[in-house]
Amino acid sequence: MTTIKDIARVAGVSVTTVSRALNGYSDVNEKTRQKIAAVAKELNYSPNTLARGLVMQKSKTIGLLVSGISRESVKDNFTFEVLCGVNERASTLGYDLILFNTNTMMQREKTYTQLCRERRVDGAIIQGIKKEDPYLKEVVESDIPCVLVDIPVHSNSVGYVTTDNALGAKKAVEHLASLGHQHIGMINGHEDAFVSQERLNGYREALKECGLSFHSEWVVSGNFEEKKAEKAARELINRHKEVTAIFCASDLMALGALKACKELGLQVPKDISIVGYDNIVLASYSSPNLTTVGQEVYQIGYQAADLLIEMLEGKETNMKRYLDTKLIIRESTAKNHN
């Protein structure tokens, strides 16, 4: 295997010069740098990134830590879209990416710092952890840089990327109200998710601004799961016949609500309107096509990687990044004729 000593011998320079040229130091003459690069290419030199990482105390590797990956996640392409965005930005900037899964039990056995040290990552992007997860406090206290997805917490070494979830929810509810719906229910995720809090806040704000009453019994939990949302929707509709529209805090739960309506003999949107959130791939393939609040999920991952790498490289950067949402009107909403 070719070493920098071989390159130094062929190029007629010192090993130190080769090392500094290959590592991008500015004190190497440009002509010499080009000669060294040409020799390295000719000799098929491949740098030992592990050894370089040990010397420089950096691995040029970041981690994407996702909590709670399950078979249920297959229908919801959110994690995959985030992963694609992270990978695109990381690879462009010369960083490798490691994906690892965690859950609350695993977090109690191994700290965030331990996990990062073991996987030899310079920093991490974390998605899907809950408010009570042990990692959240550890992340803020750790000196290992981190970017949180959809968790608005930051410190000197922690940043976050998210959308304005409250505003997104408001757009959904205002759309339903504009169609004449006065009795609007909500299927929320779970109370341990920051996005659930924000989307509930947006739902309540929109009702207030539209002059509509808030009824706590019209808000049910679907836990971000299709089957649980289907059951929750069925119970909501059976108990509160006056509800003519439902805002769901995720598209996956909205798909569950569509199933519940079909089982109950209700036509969407003729009898009841449904709005989702996220604009997952399946939203445009459901019957009827789902009206939803779209997020630029790929960009969330892209911006998370960009922010983390800027932090790792000591650049001045905005530690709080917000992306826009967009109401996408399809077939699952219509004017209220009840």
Side-chain angles (χ1 to χ4, degrees):
M1 185 174 72
T2 302
T3 67
I4 60 173
K5 289 183 180 179
D6 298 319
I7 298 172
R9 177 174 48 79
V10 175
V13 297
S14 69
V15 171
T16 301
T17 300
V18 173
S19 176
R20 296 185 74 79
L22 293 178
N23 283 297
Y25 285 90
S26 59
D27 59 352
V28 179
N29 178 277
E30 184 59 31
K31 188 175 179 180
T32 302
R33 185 193 309 281
Q34 290 178 4
K35 181 179 180 181
I36 290 170
V39 171
K41 184 177 181 181
E42 182 182 338
L43 297 178
N44 293 317
Y45 172 70
S46 177
N48 186 330
T49 53
L50 178 60
R52 180 182 291 181
L54 290 172
V55 172
M56 301 178 69
Q57 296 298 306
K58 288 188 177 182
S59 65
K60 294 278 283 188
T61 302
I62 62 173
L64 174 58
L65 178 62
V66 182
S67 179
I69 295 179
S70 65
R71 292 192 67 181
E72 182 76 13
S73 307
V74 174
K75 287 185 178 180
D76 184 346
N77 58 313
F78 190 96
T79 299
F80 180 69
E81 287 276 338
V82 169
L83 171 62
C84 289
V86 170
N87 185 61
E88 172 69 22
R89 190 57 178 153
S91 60
T92 299
L93 296 175
Y95 281 73
D96 292 324
L97 172 66
I98 295 177
L99 172 67
F100 39 105
N101 185 31
T102 184
N103 56 43
T104 304
M105 185 177 295
M106 292 166 64
Q107 290 164 17
R108 291 195 176 99
E109 295 172 355
K110 192 171 294 184
T111 68
Y112 164 75
T113 302
Q114 287 174 330
L115 188 59
C116 288
R117 299 283 189 231
E118 285 180 10
R119 302 300 177 95
R120 288 194 50 76
V121 296
D122 297 333
I125 296 165
I126 299 184
Q127 180 202 329
I129 62 173
K130 301 176 181 178
K131 289 187 298 181
E132 83 281 4
D133 281 348
Y135 273 16
L136 193 52
K137 187 170 184 290
E138 290 174 20
V139 164
V140 175
E141 294 176 350
S142 174
D143 61 350
I144 298 176
C146 175
V147 173
L148 300 167
V149 172
D150 277 338
I151 303 173
V153 173
H154 75 284
S155 67
N156 290 335
S157 60
V158 179
Y160 65 83
V161 178
T162 188
T163 58
D164 192 331
N165 287 281
L167 180 58
K170 284 182 69 175
K171 290 176 183 178
V173 177
E174 287 169 353
H175 169 63
L176 291 170
S178 73
L179 294 172
H181 294 280
Q182 297 184 350
H183 304 94
I184 304 169
M186 178 179 181
I187 301 178
N188 207 356
H190 51 74
E191 61 183 16
D192 294 322
F194 283 92
V195 295
S196 293
Q197 285 183 334
E198 289 300 298
R199 291 172 194 176
L200 177 60
N201 289 339
Y203 165 80
R204 296 188 67 161
E205 286 174 22
L207 290 178
K208 184 178 180 180
E209 290 178 12
C210 293
L212 303 176
S213 301
F214 170 75
H215 298 269
S216 59
E217 63 273 20
W218 291 358
V219 179
V220 295
S221 175
N223 205 47
F224 292 113
E225 297 176 25
E226 184 179 1
K227 286 191 177 298
K228 288 186 178 179
E230 181 181 343
K231 181 182 177 184
R234 193 184 306 117
E235 292 175 353
L236 174 63
I237 294 167
N238 281 332
R239 290 175 182 171
H240 304 284
K241 305 289 187 185
E242 66 273 28
V243 169
T244 62
I246 302 175
F247 164 55
C248 303
S250 79
D251 285 342
L252 208 54
M253 294 193 294
L255 294 177
L258 288 177
K259 283 187 178 180
C261 291
K262 186 175 181 180
E263 291 170 7
L264 293 171
L266 296 173
Q267 288 184 290
V268 178
K270 181 181 176 182
D271 301 317
I272 188 167
S273 288
I274 305 288
V275 179
Y277 202 111
D278 288 332
N279 192 32
I280 65 174
V281 172
L282 291 178
S284 61
Y285 289 94
S286 63
S287 181
N289 298 161
L290 193 62
T291 294
T292 185
V293 178
Q295 299 192 85
E296 296 183 88
V297 182
Y298 175 90
Q299 274 297 318
I300 290 176
Y302 188 96
Q303 290 295 327
D306 185 75
L307 170 54
L308 178 61
I309 292 169
E310 287 196 349
M311 290 163 61
L312 292 172
E313 296 182 350
K315 297 178 180 177
E316 287 290 327
T317 186
N318 182 2
M319 302 287 279
K320 300 179 283 186
R321 298 190 183 182
Y322 285 88
L323 299 175
D324 291 334
T325 57
K326 180 182 179 182
L327 179 67
I328 301 169
I329 301 172
R330 296 196 179 106
E331 301 172 347
S332 65
T333 53
K335 285 188 176 181
N336 177 31
H337 297 294
N338 296 332

